[in-house]
Amino acid sequence: MIELNTHMITADKLTKQFGDFTAVDQISFDVSKGEIFGFLGANGAGKTTAMRMLCGLSLPTSGKASVNGFDVNTETEKIKRSIGYMSQKFSLYEDLTVRENMRFYGGIYGMTIPQIKLKTQYILEHLHLEKEKDTLVGSLPLGWKQKLSFSVAIFHDPSIVFLDEPTGGVDPITRREFWEMIYEAAHKGTTIFVTTHYMDEAEYCNRVCIMVDGRIEAMDTPANLKKQYESAHMEDVFLKLARKATRIAD
Amino acid sequence: MPSVVVENISKSFTAEKKKVLALGDISFDVAKGALFGVIGPDGAGKTTLFRILTTLILADKGKVEIDGFDVVKEYKDIRKRIGYMPGKFSLYQDLTVEENLEFFATIFNTTIKENYSLIKEIYQQIEPFKDRRAGKLSGGMKQKLALSCALIHRPSILFLDEPTTGVDAVSRKEFWHMLKQLQKEGITILVSTPYMDEAALCDTVALIQNGKFLSIDTPEGTVSLFKKPLWAVKSDNMYKLQQDLKQFEGMASIYPFGEYYHLSLNRDSILQEDISAYLTSKVHQGLEINPIKAGIEDVFMELMKSTDD
Amino acid sequence: MKQFIAFVKKEFYHIWRDKQTLLILFGMPIAQIMIFGFALTNEVKNAKIAILNPSKDIASATLTQRIDASRYFDVLKNLQSQSQIEAAFQEGKIKLAVIFPQDFNASLLHNNTATIQFIADASDPNIATTLTSYASAIVQDYQEEMKGANTLPYTIQTDTRMLYNPQLKGAYNFVPGVMAMILLLVCTLMTSIAIVREKERGTMEILLASPLQPIVVILAKAIPYLVLSMVNIASILLLSVFVLELPIEGSLPLLIGESILFTITSLSLGLLISSITASQQVAMMISLVGMFLPTLMFSGFMFPIESMPVPLQVISNIVPAKWYFYIVKAVMIKGLGIGAIWKETLILSGMTVFLLGLSIKKYKIRLA
């Protein structure tokens, strides 16, 4: 359930410059508790840079933002502890087994052994992976890996989870099962911040923000955006906006 | 004579002492000048197939002919006439745009000038940056440069392995437009992609999963493989809608599609009113229930499930 | 041919644009020569020595004075008895002890021969050899003068004993050693990395799917590194001749010819490594562990082969660097001609032909 009055992420004129190149240009938005917030943009629009600042991996040049109540300028360590993160590239250690990976990530976030055991058991049952608990992650099919790494990203029950193109290259059924997991987490009150290249996935978000040339060009519910831009699909909305881009290089 | 003839090829790899089947008994033809799409998720066997066709690896068994030449014995003849763009961006990052193009032109015993007309439309878009190192280009520009390099010797067949993966929707659209243009030049094009929505732009589509073709047909033919009644359903509470539809008597599958759920039924006898009545009884508001025609993705999931069982 | 030139040009771009590697490639031989060279010469100046001179006659006094006067030595103390020698060394204060016999001058006059004993601390063998040879040279000089003044054929024998390391190796071993190492590094390591990088980045896929002949790829990869190695060899030789004042005794063309031969050996090794590895890291590990360590251990550069157990001596024969090292030492330091090293040259050539053939045969015309 979305709690509109509880803002888990707030960004106020958040800006990042690299030399005289402004990667992210004064973006402002709020994300409410339990919301699935879609973050879209063409390659090089500034998505990754913005996400990095919110995860406490990169400091803003100017502007303010807070994540889970912590300041991205001063409290990056606290932010890192309270969020979950998953990307298409960085997921799990391929040469560790399913259980070892969970044990490791639980340990990183300071969970106790009994907590880790309990949670591991829960996830294995939930994903029907009991038989594979001692299998090396590297030998699992891609779809399972992605589902598993999402489970690991929310292993420590973070209040916010950042997902960077989590479903790239995954088969359509697994992609949907993945979104079911996202829905379930959001339903339990986890805030989801997600980027994707699949425009139908944009429809699954409560609100979508589209970045063009480092600025937020549009931000609303998918339904309102489609109405505003007189389009049948989010893809057309995206194409209309992204074609305005003048920036070419990453 | 078809440009590509594939007869019963299989390929397995050994990983962790287990034999993993990458391709199992695949056969197909690609007519000259056709745009042939191989569509499937990562790990389905697309890259293995493309590498076999481009003479880069050998199949365990089966026969492949490219322009009438055998991939095993006459690989040298094939290598002269094909263009290949691997899945990973495979140009020299520390060479400039122009240096890359010039290098590949020379490798294929030609010059940029000789075939400029073919790549003109694509290359012109990146020409202002010809002195920039390839590594410093954006995703869309890298893709255009890679395509220019693969085309510079005017190949008779072009193999593109996942050219649009990780590329944004705008660049993807542009890219398919370029492919359509190239097709008019008489070049046979084989392209693989994980994006189901790109299937509609091909002449023939092969859906691939777990090393096997689920179907080979025109996009229209592929779509017609979906026999069950299909409905798009929407309500104000989508999460609850899904939970409820899963319990619905006669439900065959339920998958989210954009703002709707696609509900397929295992009986023709169920009417719109039946669904509506059921959902209303579950207290859903803002209900929308429409009969729809299946898309490629619906078909893919349907075929995937039926082969799994 | 055009393809070949285009490829070589591309390789030079790669090398030229990777400034860090470039700096290491050209800087390393210079740094190594300087470090080895100057660490050596600094130590040798004003080395502390002790003298035991029980005879105290004219000849021994003159020699003592001359040794002390030379810029190489600094007489720290005069010892009184044999028993003090060991103690002086153990204190670590002296590098060399010069011991005159009881009746040096008398022996020289009556028997026309006398013996001076040099005892050196050979825990650092290079310094020990240098010191004894300097000291011997001073004695030789004195002897020449005596001969000039007198018709009697005096001979002073110097009796050198090496403490701690009786199997002493020559002092200038490091120049041939550095040459062997640099050639291996540039050719084997860099060539294998250059090829494996194409595999890793995916460009090899395009090259393989093109009409390019494998032999063109191999040669075009090899040529730039051959040139690079020659530049390195030239800089090593120039430095050792002009900075370290170590002359090339033998024929320069012969030395360069042998170096080209060894370069090709190393290139073939690099090609062989690249054809069996898929990542730059593995290629680097194999080059370092598989080529570098054996070269250090078995070429005779660091450890004398003669004092190794027989099985290791046998193994050392298959290390190409051993033969190159021997050849360079013979030509550069001993001034020998092809007549003295034809056997070694033949062995090295054989190895090269074998490795080159093997690596061309192993070069894959397809992926994996």
Side-chain angles (χ1 to χ4, degrees):
Chain A
M1 288 297 104
I2 305 171
E3 296 170 30
L4 286 173
N5 296 322
T6 317
H7 289 164
M8 297 305 289
I9 304 175
T10 59
D12 183 17
K13 298 203 175 107
L14 196 63
T15 301
K16 179 80 183 186
Q17 284 176 314
F18 296 106
D20 53 5
F21 176 74
T22 309
V24 174
D25 193 0
Q26 302 203 21
I27 58 170
S28 305
F29 58 89
D30 299 318
V31 181
S32 304
K33 184 169 163 56
E35 188 174 8
I36 301 175
F37 188 76
F39 206 59
L40 312 182
N43 299 83
K47 281 182 316 222
T48 309
T49 313
M51 197 148 159
R52 281 196 172 164
M53 285 191 280
L54 295 175
C55 291
L57 300 173
S58 158
L59 290 177
T61 312
S62 68
K64 282 186 294 189
S66 78
V67 174
N68 205 15
F70 301 119
D71 191 325
V72 297
N73 278 300
T74 54
E75 299 173 297
T76 52
E77 287 313 308
K78 284 182 185 163
I79 289 176
K80 285 183 203 166
R81 209 164 304 158
S82 68
I83 62 167
Y85 177 80
M86 175 203 163
S87 85
Q88 191 187 347
K89 284 163 227 140
F90 172 76
S91 45
L92 301 168
Y93 290 94
E94 305 244 311
D95 51 353
L96 295 185
T97 67
V98 172
R99 251 196 325 189
E100 284 162 352
N101 263 295
M102 295 197 218
R103 167 85 188 74
F104 173 72
Y105 280 101
I108 280 187
Y109 287 100
M111 292 167 69
T112 63
I113 301 277
Q115 278 176 325
I116 291 174
K117 276 198 175 146
L118 212 68
K119 196 77 194 228
T120 303
Q121 195 53 38
Y122 171 77
I123 290 176
L124 289 177
E125 275 169 28
H126 205 68
L127 295 180
H128 307 293
L129 274 177
E130 286 110 326
K131 275 189 205 150
E132 311 290 341
K133 63 183 181 201
D134 293 318
T135 309
L136 294 184
V137 165
S139 55
L140 291 177
L142 177 80
W144 291 16
K145 272 190 226 170
Q146 294 303 90
K147 285 198 272 184
L148 189 63
S149 59
F150 178 70
S151 305
V152 170
I154 56 169
F155 197 77
H156 57 294
D157 293 318
S159 47
I160 305 171
V161 59
F162 288 86
L163 307 172
D164 192 4
E165 286 178 37
T167 55
V170 174
D171 73 71
I173 292 187
T174 312
R175 205 149 68 79
R176 286 171 171 79
E177 287 168 354
F178 192 90
W179 271 91
E180 264 181 56
M181 293 174 69
I182 293 180
Y183 265 107
E184 198 188 307
H187 198 68
K188 286 184 185 161
T190 310
T191 305
I192 314 277
F193 187 99
V194 59
T195 71
T196 179
H197 277 321
Y198 292 96
M199 284 307 134
D200 60 326
E201 291 187 349
E203 308 260 11
Y204 307 157
C205 303
N206 299 117
R207 266 191 317 148
V208 168
C209 151
I210 298 176
M211 278 189 82
V212 177
D213 287 352
R215 286 185 301 275
I216 292 180
E217 201 62 37
M219 182 167 53
D220 212 326
T221 61
N224 287 348
L225 285 175
K226 279 184 286 185
K227 211 180 291 169
Q228 189 186 339
Y229 291 92
E230 295 165 353
S231 309
H233 301 284
M234 274 307 289
E235 169 142 23
D236 302 324
V237 176
F238 181 77
L239 290 177
K240 277 182 186 166
L241 286 167
R243 286 218 166 103
K244 288 188 194 167
T246 50
R247 195 192 274 176
I248 301 165
D250 274 316
Chain B
M1 183 186 65
S3 285
V4 177
V5 179
V6 176
E7 280 171 24
N8 308 97
I9 55 164
S10 294
K11 176 83 186 172
S12 12
F13 295 102
T14 320
E16 285 183 43
K17 289 174 197 160
K18 273 189 286 184
K19 249 197 166 176
V20 181
L21 187 77
L23 284 179
D25 203 28
I26 281 187
S27 304
F28 64 94
D29 292 350
V30 180
K32 201 161 170 38
L35 178 50
F36 185 89
V38 180
I39 300 187
D42 286 5
K46 300 189 298 287
T47 299
T48 307
L49 175 63
F50 272 57
R51 285 182 173 170
I52 290 173
L53 299 185
T54 50
T55 77
L56 290 176
I57 54 175
L58 295 175
D60 296 338
K61 56 175 196 255
K63 207 177 132 200
V64 180
E65 276 181 12
I66 305 289
D67 266 356
F69 295 105
D70 184 82
V71 283
V72 182
K73 291 189 211 95
E74 297 161 307
Y75 71 94
K76 283 186 182 164
D77 296 289
I78 295 174
R79 289 179 183 186
K80 277 179 203 151
R81 52 207 311 129
I82 60 167
Y84 174 47
M85 190 170 144
K88 214 165 47 171
F89 174 69
S90 303
L91 297 176
Y92 298 101
Q93 315 250 3
D94 53 345
L95 261 52
T96 66
V97 168
E98 199 176 23
E99 283 163 357
N100 265 299
L101 192 62
E102 228 167 55
F103 174 72
F104 284 105
T106 318
I107 292 303
F108 282 96
N109 275 320
T110 180
T111 57
I112 298 180
K113 252 191 206 152
E114 211 171 314
N115 290 314
Y116 189 73
S117 62
L118 184 67
I119 61 160
K120 189 175 163 203
E121 210 182 313
I122 305 160
Y123 188 62
Q124 266 177 347
Q125 299 172 50
I126 47 172
E127 211 164 12
F129 308 96
K130 63 178 186 187
D131 293 324
R132 193 182 284 198
R133 304 258 171 103
K136 295 239 156 83
L137 296 176
S138 71
M141 282 163 75
K142 276 182 185 166
Q143 189 196 36
K144 280 169 197 155
L145 176 59
L147 184 62
S148 303
C149 289
L151 281 171
I152 190 66
H153 56 295
R154 195 176 274 279
S156 66
I157 310 178
L158 188 58
F159 293 90
L160 308 168
D161 190 13
E162 297 204 28
T164 54
T165 296
V167 174
D168 65 70
V170 179
S171 306
R172 272 166 57 194
K173 268 258 151 63
E174 284 176 10
F175 195 80
W176 277 93
H177 174 74
M178 292 187 271
L179 293 191
K180 283 289 182 194
Q181 293 299 312
L182 287 172
Q183 207 188 350
K184 285 180 193 153
E185 301 272 344
I187 297 174
T188 310
I189 303 172
L190 275 81
V191 57
S192 73
T193 176
Y195 297 102
M196 304 281 153
D197 55 339
E198 292 176 353
L201 304 161
C202 306
D203 297 324
T204 310
V205 177
L207 301 182
I208 185 172
Q209 168 74 353
N210 291 335
K212 298 213 165 88
F213 278 178
L214 301 172
S215 71
I216 316 175
D217 212 324
T218 59
E220 299 75 31
T222 308
V223 168
S224 71
L225 292 172
F226 199 92
K227 305 288 187 209
K228 291 173 187 162
L230 191 66
W231 301 84
V233 188
K234 175 181 169 181
S235 97
D236 286 351
N237 188 344
M238 294 299 276
Y239 183 69
K240 186 169 183 303
L241 180 67
Q242 186 184 21
Q243 305 301 319
D244 291 337
L245 283 175
K246 274 185 181 170
Q247 309 297 322
F248 183 60
E249 175 75 36
M251 185 241 13
S253 69
I254 157 98
Y255 291 114
F257 265 84
E259 59 180 320
Y260 293 94
Y261 278 109
H262 281 193
L263 170 72
S264 74
L265 304 172
N266 45 29
R267 288 199 304 272
D268 285 321
S269 55
I270 299 171
L271 301 174
Q272 184 161 357
E273 291 79 55
D274 300 331
I275 307 168
S276 173
Y278 169 75
L279 289 176
T280 316
S281 76
K282 295 280 177 189
V283 212
H284 277 281
Q285 306 216 318
L287 266 179
E288 223 181 273
I289 304 169
N290 304 311
I292 47 157
K293 277 178 75 176
I296 297 276
E297 201 157 356
D298 293 296
V299 176
F300 193 95
M301 290 194 282
E302 184 66 21
L303 295 173
M304 222 179 122
K305 276 209 326 192
S306 62
T307 50
D308 276 358
D309 296 341
Chain C
M1 195 59 202
K2 253 194 188 159
Q3 289 179 328
F4 179 70
I5 292 167
F7 210 117
V8 171
K9 208 166 95 185
K10 171 188 85 81
E11 290 306 313
F12 272 113
Y13 283 144
H14 288 323
I15 297 168
W16 184 245
R17 287 176 186 173
D18 187 358
K19 300 283 186 219
Q20 265 174 318
T21 312
L22 197 67
L23 188 73
I24 294 172
L25 280 183
F26 287 117
M28 195 174 48
I30 296 171
Q32 282 199 1
I33 290 287
M34 291 314 217
I35 290 165
F36 276 109
F38 282 103
L40 195 76
T41 44
N42 280 341
E43 282 289 325
V44 164
K45 268 179 211 156
N46 300 321
K48 308 265 187 291
I49 62 167
I51 289 180
L52 174 64
N53 186 0
S55 62
K56 300 206 169 59
D57 49 27
I58 277 204
S60 62
T62 315
L63 269 172
T64 305
Q65 195 205 341
R66 289 201 177 183
I67 290 172
D68 197 12
S70 102
R71 66 188 169 104
Y72 301 116
F73 302 112
D74 192 2
V75 178
L76 193 68
K77 56 170 116 180
N78 285 302
L79 303 171
Q80 302 308 319
S81 73
Q82 289 277 345
S83 60
Q84 286 176 337
I85 299 172
E86 187 72 24
F89 274 109
Q90 277 172 357
E91 280 171 38
K93 285 194 180 139
I94 59 162
K95 296 277 176 217
L96 183 79
V98 180
I99 293 118
F100 291 96
Q102 194 69 47
D103 39 10
F104 183 66
N105 201 27
S107 169
L108 203 59
L109 292 175
H110 291 122
N111 307 334
N112 298 337
T113 175
T115 302
I116 301 177
Q117 192 179 31
F118 296 138
I119 302 179
D121 172 359
S123 54
D124 186 331
N126 290 336
I127 293 174
T129 344
T130 318
L131 290 180
T132 50
S133 62
Y134 287 165
S136 301
I138 293 171
V139 175
Q140 291 293 322
D141 276 355
Y142 177 70
Q143 197 179 330
E144 294 295 317
E145 276 174 43
M146 296 284 287
K147 270 191 201 160
N150 204 314
T151 46
L152 282 170
Y154 294 136
T155 30
I156 303 174
Q157 286 176 352
T158 53
D159 168 22
T160 308
R161 267 176 59 201
M162 293 296 170
L163 283 182
Y164 311 130
N165 177 8
Q167 297 259 353
L168 199 66
K169 302 300 294 179
Y172 286 117
N173 274 354
F174 75 90
V175 173
V178 168
M179 284 167 74
M181 276 185 6
I182 294 292
L183 284 183
L184 255 179
L185 189 85
V186 174
C187 298
T188 310
L189 185 64
M190 296 312 291
T191 321
S192 63
I193 285 181
I195 294 183
V196 175
R197 186 169 48 207
E198 300 237 16
K199 287 194 201 174
E200 230 177 58
R201 300 237 169 116
T203 42
M204 189 53 97
E205 265 184 76
I206 303 190
L207 295 184
L208 283 176
S210 79
L212 207 57
Q213 299 285 325
I215 188 78
V216 175
V217 179
I218 291 181
L219 286 180
K221 281 276 172 194
I223 296 261
Y225 291 101
L226 187 80
V227 173
L228 224 61
S229 318
M230 288 304 110
V231 173
N232 273 327
I233 289 297
S235 68
I236 292 174
L237 291 180
L238 285 172
L239 279 175
S240 61
V241 170
F242 292 106
V243 180
L244 302 180
E245 291 167 4
L246 172 72
I248 297 167
E249 299 289 350
S251 139
L252 185 61
L254 180 61
L255 189 59
I256 289 172
E258 298 280 358
S259 296
I260 291 177
L261 178 63
F262 183 64
T263 306
I264 300 170
T265 322
S266 310
L267 284 170
S268 319
L269 269 170
L271 287 169
L272 202 57
I273 292 173
S274 71
S275 65
I276 54 169
T277 51
S279 79
Q280 292 185 60
Q281 272 143 324
V282 177
M284 197 182 295
M285 282 303 289
I286 296 186
S287 302
L288 288 179
V289 178
M291 301 296 135
F292 235 56
L293 285 182
T295 301
L296 277 181
M297 312 225 313
F298 295 119
S299 65
F301 166 39
M302 290 296 222
F303 311 104
I305 293 170
E306 308 87 81
S307 57
M308 285 179 187
V310 178
L312 290 186
Q313 289 195 30
V314 173
I315 290 175
S316 77
N317 287 330
I318 61 165
V319 176
K322 171 191 166 164
W323 304 102
Y324 177 66
F325 181 71
Y326 180 89
I327 291 168
V328 175
K329 238 170 41 176
V331 176
M332 201 172 155
I333 295 168
K334 297 186 189 150
L336 300 175
I338 184 75
I341 52 165
W342 67 270
K343 236 193 282 174
E344 287 75 15
T345 307
L346 209 63
I347 293 171
L348 198 57
S349 309
M351 284 180 165
T352 308
V353 170
F354 174 74
L355 287 170
L356 195 63
L358 194 64
S359 62
I360 289 177
K361 193 163 170 278
K362 283 260 172 186
Y363 185 86
K364 291 178 187 125
I365 55 158
R366 297 175 204 275
L367 287 173

